[in-house]
Amino acid sequence: MSSFRTTFSRGAQGAVAGLLSGYTALAVAELTASLVRPQAGPVNVVGGAAIDRTPPALKDYAIRTFGENDKLVLQLGILATLGFLAAVLGVLSLRHRRTGAAGVLLFGMVGAAAALTRPDTRGPADALPSLAGVLAGAAVLYFLAGVLAGAAVLYFLAGKVTKQPVLDTGTGDGGSLWSRRGFLATASVTAVAATTVGALGRTLIGMRGQGAVASRAAVKLPAPASPALPLPAGVQLKTEGISPFTTSNKDFYRVDTALVVPKVDTDSWRLRIHGKGVTRPHTYTFQELLTRPLIERDITLTCVSNEVGGPYVGHARWLGVRLADLLRECGVKPPSKGGPADQLVARSVDGMTLGSPVDDVMDGRDAMLAVGMNGVPLPFEHGFPVRMLVPGLYGYVSACKWIEDIELTTFDAYDPYWVKRNWARKAPIKTQARIDTPKPFARPTGETVMVAGVAWAQHRGITRVEIRIDDGPWQDTDLAPQANTDTWRQWSYPWNPTPGGHHLTVRATDGTGQAQTEQRTRTIPDGASGWHSVFVTTG
Ligand SMILES: Nc1nc2c(c(=O)[nH]1)N[C@H]1C(S)=C(S)[C@@H](COP(=O)(O)O)O[C@H]1N2
Ligand SMILES: [Mo]
């Protein structure tokens, strides 16, 4: 007769055995991934598969709610789910070998399947981390719970699984094979061993990245043949609380699907340009790019997932090769000059695809393959060694990071990653104005309150920003000088408020004379529109 206490304690042992099995599996997978390919680790591939399958609305919600921590939240979510399932499996395996074995098998299958179907998979070896991990996890379950997982799998496959309870010694006291102390000791040794293996894997992955880190440190950015025009005096207003005109690299927003930031070595990096109408396909090395005449430009980048008033916009001074020159060298003609390809698809080392209109890339704007950002080689997070930029287009249709391939094709023939997920094929950046200060629900004091912010309409420029207090008339704000039409522009308004609550609303007019629409839309499919508004209390 088994008392509640022994039942509970056996259950707890089963759960711990399951957790340790899962932990060991991840550690061994990490070590294997360090030898095969860091990106092939099970959390990364399952996380990547989850990101790709997340409905756009949920992805948008995640970006809104967790911001740039969305990846961390996803990974913690995967680990929590895995931990929970492993514990359940551990308890189940005490009595149901078939379920335990099937569960162990299933984990390995899910990981391996995810690894083999990632867009950046490098072949069957990518399944190894998941498979090695699951074998180690099964072995641990065997030792700790007494389940002969390997044999159970075979039995399971042969349909010969016995229903006999595993930890029941048949002595009738419901006790386990292990004394509690013996179990704890073995569990601790397993935990330490798994941690060591995992740490070794981490270290090896770190060392693999060191080659890329060293190659980045060795990059000497050449002086631009065509430097950026100096920023006009006054582009940066002195108003406290306004965003800096130039965003520092460390503060620059980051939006991508990479759970492991690709670490690419400049020596092994190549960019291939090929496809429809490419009469002279060519593969460029990093050195080849650096020896070409470089352009340096001020360009403001914006994410299509940026809500009205949102943070996913940043400004940098970029250094790179004019993309249209490379394309012309390869024989590419834009459709407006009779070329057969209207879409340029950029592909990254992590399998991301982004499509831009060839006409936009070749119409004379400063579309570039950037190698430098604010005076230094691109940070790894922002696409080292080379990324693409097309002024005026949202990032998801232009700004490919870690680029390795450019294919000329047509919009009819191919839908890139985000388009497959219901985002628009073409997405020029919409005109937006944002109030940076005062913040929503602030309680500014003083006779004069400085209202200030930024406005952007890349490649069209900003010619006017107006403000409305409550339901009053639209009034012009003071515009800072514009650096160029591809950058955002700061504005300010000295406001003498009456005490009480007030709604402040802003709207911008772009260089074509088009005023920003009041119509509020969601970010999907082609970017949010509408006026930014904040409520503040004064006096
Ligand atoms: N390889 C790759 N490039 C990518 C993305 C990505 O997920 N993977 N995201 C794009 C999106 S949606 C945006 S807005 C910009 C953001 O660039 P940043 O992270 O340097 O700000 O990168 C673009 N390039
Ligand atoms: Mo984006």
Side-chain angles (χ1 to χ4, degrees):
M1 203 175 50
S2 73
S3 71
F4 171 75
R5 234 187 94 188
T6 48
T7 307
F8 176 79
S9 128
R10 277 175 55 195
Q13 285 186 357
V16 170
L19 280 170
L20 280 172
S21 154
Y23 183 63
T24 307
L26 287 179
V28 169
E30 185 86 354
L31 181 61
T32 315
S34 77
L35 305 173
V36 176
R37 208 166 67 88
Q39 274 78 4
V43 175
N44 186 55
V45 293
V46 171
I51 290 177
D52 291 356
R53 282 164 187 75
T54 306
L58 182 60
K59 198 178 297 194
D60 226 34
Y61 167 83
I63 291 181
R64 266 204 317 277
T65 312
F66 305 119
E68 302 194 10
N69 293 323
D70 57 349
K71 293 191 187 68
L72 184 63
V73 170
L74 173 72
Q75 278 164 313
L76 291 178
I78 289 175
L79 289 180
T81 309
L82 209 60
F84 174 74
L85 292 176
V88 169
L89 214 58
V91 176
L92 277 180
S93 66
L94 297 180
R95 291 212 168 260
H96 303 283
R97 285 181 176 176
R98 191 192 288 254
T99 314
V104 169
L105 203 63
L106 206 66
F107 277 125
M109 292 310 221
V110 169
L116 294 178
T117 52
R118 299 305 302 136
D120 63 336
T121 183
R122 297 291 194 258
D126 278 3
L128 287 178
S130 294
L131 296 180
V134 95
L135 285 180
V140 164
L141 210 56
Y142 163 68
F143 276 119
L144 288 180
V147 177
L148 184 57
V153 169
L154 294 179
Y155 272 122
F156 172 65
L157 291 176
K160 284 192 188 158
V161 173
T162 63
K163 283 257 159 61
Q164 212 180 311
V166 173
L167 282 192
D168 196 328
T169 52
T171 55
D173 63 355
S176 74
L177 287 171
W178 300 92
S179 71
R180 188 175 308 185
R181 189 178 293 176
F183 177 80
L184 279 180
T186 314
S188 309
V189 170
T190 310
V192 170
T195 304
T196 310
V197 167
L200 180 63
R202 279 279 148 101
T203 310
L204 289 176
I205 287 176
M207 280 164 61
R208 269 178 90 116
Q210 283 313 303
V213 172
S215 87
R216 180 172 181 273
V219 172
K220 294 223 166 27
L221 293 178
S226 165
L229 295 173
L231 291 178
V235 285
Q236 171 71 65
L237 296 177
K238 302 225 159 35
T239 312
E240 201 184 314
I242 196 169
S243 7
F245 181 81
T246 300
T247 316
S248 68
N249 289 356
K250 83 173 169 23
D251 291 335
F252 209 96
Y253 82 88
R254 178 185 161 203
V255 171
D256 57 58
T257 59
L259 288 169
V260 175
V261 175
K263 292 259 169 71
V264 183
D265 201 299
T266 48
D267 287 340
S268 61
W269 181 84
R270 296 285 182 280
L271 171 70
R272 176 169 171 237
I273 300 184
H274 62 112
K276 230 181 170 54
V278 183
T279 52
R280 294 178 292 276
H282 191 77
T283 300
Y284 294 87
T285 66
F286 190 68
Q287 273 318 313
E288 251 178 288
L289 287 196
L290 285 199
T291 50
R292 301 177 66 95
L294 301 184
I295 58 171
E296 181 191 47
R297 293 293 182 268
D298 279 296
I299 299 168
T300 300
L301 187 60
T302 309
C303 181
V304 72
S305 293
N306 193 48
E307 287 183 284
V308 172
Y312 300 128
V313 51
H315 179 85
R317 177 166 283 191
W318 309 89
L319 177 74
V321 174
R322 191 181 276 287
L323 179 53
D325 290 350
L326 290 189
L327 294 175
R328 257 181 238 111
E329 215 172 79
C330 295
V332 177
K333 275 197 210 125
S336 55
K337 299 242 168 65
D342 60 2
Q343 181 177 220
L344 179 158
V345 173
R347 191 172 278 108
S348 69
V349 300
D350 60 330
M352 170 58 63
T353 50
L354 299 86
S356 323
V358 177
D359 266 328
D360 288 352
V361 172
M362 300 185 80
D363 72 357
R365 72 182 77 192
D366 294 319
M368 64 161 100
L369 293 173
V371 294
M373 179 179 187
N374 289 328
V376 296
L378 291 178
F380 288 107
E381 290 77 10
H382 296 291
F384 183 84
V386 183
R387 78 174 304 169
M388 205 173 114
L389 292 170
V390 183
L393 306 184
Y394 283 118
Y396 86 101
V397 287
S398 65
C400 186
K401 306 194 274 189
W402 316 292
I403 192 171
E404 67 170 9
D405 188 281
I406 287 179
E407 180 174 0
L408 278 294
T409 178
T410 60
F411 281 100
D412 281 344
Y414 185 75
D415 282 341
Y417 184 92
W418 298 102
V419 175
K420 288 196 183 92
R421 287 160 182 80
N422 299 332
W423 295 82
R425 287 198 171 80
K426 298 185 183 176
I429 296 173
K430 295 183 179 176
T431 305
Q432 277 291 317
R434 184 177 77 189
I435 302 171
D436 285 346
T437 183
K439 295 277 175 240
F441 308 111
R443 299 178 155 272
T445 53
E447 200 175 319
T448 305
V449 173
M450 270 311 226
V451 185
V454 286
W456 60 85
Q458 287 91 317
H459 210 56
R460 300 183 300 279
I462 292 290
T463 50
R464 187 177 200 186
V465 176
E466 297 160 282
I467 188 168
R468 190 179 67 184
I469 313 293
D470 301 316
D471 294 326
W474 287 101
Q475 302 174 67
D476 275 316
T477 67
D478 299 321
L479 284 178
Q482 173 148 294
N484 68 62
T485 56
D486 294 337
T487 69
W488 58 9
R489 187 168 186 178
Q490 301 196 338
W491 58 267
S492 69
Y493 176 79
W495 175 40
N496 301 316
T498 54
H502 298 285
H503 281 285
L504 311 179
T505 307
V506 282
R507 70 173 184 196
T509 300
D510 73 12
T512 71
Q514 189 72 45
Q516 184 188 331
T517 176
E518 178 180 11
Q519 183 97 45
R520 273 265 181 175
T521 60
R522 309 176 47 201
T523 55
I524 196 163
D526 63 353
S529 67
W531 297 335
H532 188 214
S533 174
V534 301
F535 180 81
V536 299
T537 308
T538 56

